[in-house]
Structures are given as C-alpha cells and as structure tokens.
Amino acid sequence: MTSGGTTDEDVGVTRDTPEDAVERFVVVSDDRDWIDRFAAAAGPTVDRVPSERADDIGSIRRGYPAAVVVDGEAAPDPMVPFVEARESCPDAACLLAGGAGRLDPDPGSETGPRSIVLEYLPVREPESVAAAAETAVEGRTHRGYPVPDREDDRVATARAIRAGRLDSARAFDELADATARAIGAEAATVSVLGDYRLWHVGLAGERFEEMADPIEPTVDRSRTVSTYTVLENGVHAVPDLADDPRFETASRALELGLRSYLGVPLRVDGHAVGTLSAFRSRPGSFGDGAGATLRSLAAVGEELLAAAVVADADPDRPGRATGIVDRSAEASPVGED
C-alpha cells in the first residue's frame, strides 16, 4: 500500500470547504513516531493535529476528512477531538486507539455529553489502526443513516456530474422554479448527493427569496432529507419534518423554517445521484397529483444531470431551458388538501 504522506496542522482550511469525500485522515497525537508509522501504512494522506489543538479540528483540517483517529495514549482528553468532529465533519469515521481508561465520564465537563459513537481499538499498534480506519471508511459502517446499494458506483457517478458543467446551468434554477409553481411549494431544490455532502445546483421559491442571507450551496449529508429520498423508488413524502425522528434534531430544512417535504430521486445510469425536492413552511401533505407532477419534472432533471457529465455539453444552449418551461406548463396546477 502506498502512503499518502503527512502534513502538519497549520493548513489553514476552514470547515466551510465545499469539497466532498477527501482521501485523507486526521490523526490527533503528539507521538510523531506513532503518526509516521500510521501514515506509512495508510493509503490516504494524514493530517497531524497536536493534542493542544484537538478542539479546533474544524478550522485546521484540510477539506472533509474520511476519518478522525485519536491516539488515546497520547491525547490528554481523547474525547475532545470527537466532540469537535461531530460538529464539523459528522460523517467522518471516528476511531480511538487505546486509552479507554483515560476517558472522562463526567457529562458536565467542558467537552459536553459523551454521546459520541466511535470505534474503540484496544490495540494501539499503528499499522492495525490504519487498516481499521480504511475498513471503516470503505464500509461506511459508522454512518448514522442507511446508504443505497452500490454506493461506491453511485458516488462515482455523482462526482462525474459535479465535475461537469453544473455551475453555469440556469436550467437547474428554472427547473426548481417550475417545480415550486407547479405544485404550490414555497421552496424547491435540485440537488446532487455526494458521499459526504449535498450540493444545491438549482434553487427557487418565495421562501428562499425572503431570506436575508443566501442559502449555502452545500449541506452535510447527514442533515438532509435527500439522504433518505435517494433510497426510494418513487415519491418520498414527509408531512411534518418536525414529527419525524429522522429529521427532528438534525435537519437543515427545519432550521430554515420548512416543515413539509415532497421529493423524488434523480437517476443517472441507474444510480440515484440527486433529488428534486419541494418544501412548505407548514406541516401537511401536498395536494392530489403533486407526486405525479414531481415525477414528470424529475425526468427533466435527470436529462440535465446526465448531460452535465458530457465534456462539451452546453447547459445554456437553446432548447434546454425551454423544455423545462414547456413541460411544467403542461402540468396542471396542483390543489391543496
């Protein structure tokens, strides 16, 4: 296995980086020999974070790490970096190598409640720890939500789409606008779901227009409704996000004041790489026919995403945006229940 090498902690990358899966591990330890052996055995690049800065992983790491590994024998409080990781990179695998007897069980300490799910490795041998970290990342066993079958292929397709011509595509905003108008939604999004993050490639609706600050282009996957929409074969309806245990404590939509949801997966090459989603600020079901209308509009979204991976595709060429407008106009307005 080829080592990716190590970097020191002063890398100056903020937690707001829009990058998705980054093939690198963050290792918290003051034992340079242990880190060097870990890095020699690991495939991804290793970012070393000294224990004195373990509570600031979010601002000093490079991109979104695949795993956070703590040398339990060398870190003063092994739980500190995991508490921070759950805030700044919630889908990273968390592994503690040794040091279980040094954990502070007091929930009133400065690190907060010890409700962190992590993999404990009683053997501190760095080569074994590196292998365990790679296994955890590859298997995605640490995720707090289910993942689709053939997830590696799905993620690869989503990355190919993001590498295409998405940023300049007005057609995605027009599709979101057509969706909001057709089914009476206050907000609608066209999104691509990566391994760790969701990207909004199209946004529309009065709810977004009313916001003082523009909505962020990316959201942690664990905080999205789309994470569950891509598991569906058809329409995914959530009448009240606040009353659904999957979203009641960790949903970006709820933070924005959105309560009801209707969405469908967008498939490219057989993989659910994204979603077409509609929201309202009040709980309740969308009207009769909303699901059928959404599925019809989703076909346009799938065409747009598929075209994005073509190197010479021009997302603004005549006819593409017109197709969205024409198809939405054919769909009759959807009434409310």
Side-chain angles (χ1 to χ4, degrees), residues 284-322:
S285 300
F286 283 78
D288 294 338
T293 300
L294 202 62
R295 285 194 296 269
S296 176
L297 291 166
V300 181
E302 291 174 340
E303 294 172 3
L304 291 171
L305 291 179
V309 302
V310 180
D312 61 353
D314 180 4
D316 296 318
R317 71 175 182 267
R320 177 170 292 189
T322 301

Side-chain angles (χ1 to χ4, degrees), residues 222-312:
S222 60
R223 302 173 63 208
T224 70
V225 187
S226 291
T227 294
Y228 291 87
T229 302
V230 296
L231 300 171
E232 302 291 335
N233 290 322
V235 176
H236 181 206
V238 184
D240 190 354
L241 295 170
D243 194 40
D244 191 313
R246 297 174 298 176
F247 313 117
E248 59 185 359
T249 61
S251 170
R252 180 57 178 147
L254 277 176
E255 293 174 356
L256 296 174
L258 302 170
R259 292 287 296 274
S260 55
Y261 172 87
L262 193 70
V264 291
L266 299 177
R267 300 184 183 278
V268 174
D269 294 336
H271 302 293
V273 295
T275 59
L276 177 62
S277 302
F279 302 85
R280 284 178 177 164
S281 60
R282 61 188 183 280
S285 300
F286 283 78
D288 294 338
T293 300
L294 202 62
R295 285 194 296 269
S296 176
L297 291 166
V300 181
E302 291 174 340
E303 294 172 3
L304 291 171
L305 291 179
V309 302
V310 180
D312 61 353

Side-chain angles (χ1 to χ4, degrees), residues 78-277:
M79 284 304 299
V80 169
F82 295 129
V83 172
E84 167 62 20
R86 277 294 170 256
E87 293 296 323
S88 64
C89 44
D91 283 340
C94 292
L95 297 94
L96 173 64
R102 301 176 60 245
L103 294 178
D104 177 8
D106 179 12
S109 67
E110 63 180 9
T111 55
R114 296 304 201 260
S115 58
I116 307 298
V117 178
L118 58 89
E119 181 175 350
Y120 172 64
L121 305 172
V123 178
R124 185 173 171 263
E125 194 264 330
E127 289 78 10
S128 297
V129 176
E134 291 185 326
T135 298
V137 171
E138 291 171 1
R140 298 181 177 87
T141 55
H142 56 284
R143 303 292 178 95
Y145 48 81
V147 297
D149 295 334
R150 300 174 60 199
E151 177 69 349
D152 285 342
D153 294 337
R154 191 199 69 79
V155 169
T157 304
R159 288 178 180 169
I161 290 171
R162 287 204 64 246
R165 299 286 300 277
L166 287 177
D167 294 339
S168 62
R170 294 192 306 268
F172 290 105
D173 285 333
E174 293 172 353
L175 174 58
D177 180 66
T179 299
R181 289 187 289 105
I183 66 175
E186 295 173 57
T189 62
V190 184
S191 306
V192 175
L193 187 70
D195 199 357
Y196 291 78
R197 290 184 181 274
L198 175 138
W199 283 266
H200 296 306
V201 296
L203 293 167
E206 60 187 54
R207 188 68 179 178
F208 293 145
E209 295 171 359
E210 294 170 353
M211 294 180 181
D213 299 317
I215 188 171
E216 63 272 26
T218 69
V219 183
D220 285 330
R221 179 175 176 175
S222 60
R223 302 173 63 208
T224 70
V225 187
S226 291
T227 294
Y228 291 87
T229 302
V230 296
L231 300 171
E232 302 291 335
N233 290 322
V235 176
H236 181 206
V238 184
D240 190 354
L241 295 170
D243 194 40
D244 191 313
R246 297 174 298 176
F247 313 117
E248 59 185 359
T249 61
S251 170
R252 180 57 178 147
L254 277 176
E255 293 174 356
L256 296 174
L258 302 170
R259 292 287 296 274
S260 55
Y261 172 87
L262 193 70
V264 291
L266 299 177
R267 300 184 183 278
V268 174
D269 294 336
H271 302 293
V273 295
T275 59
L276 177 62
S277 302

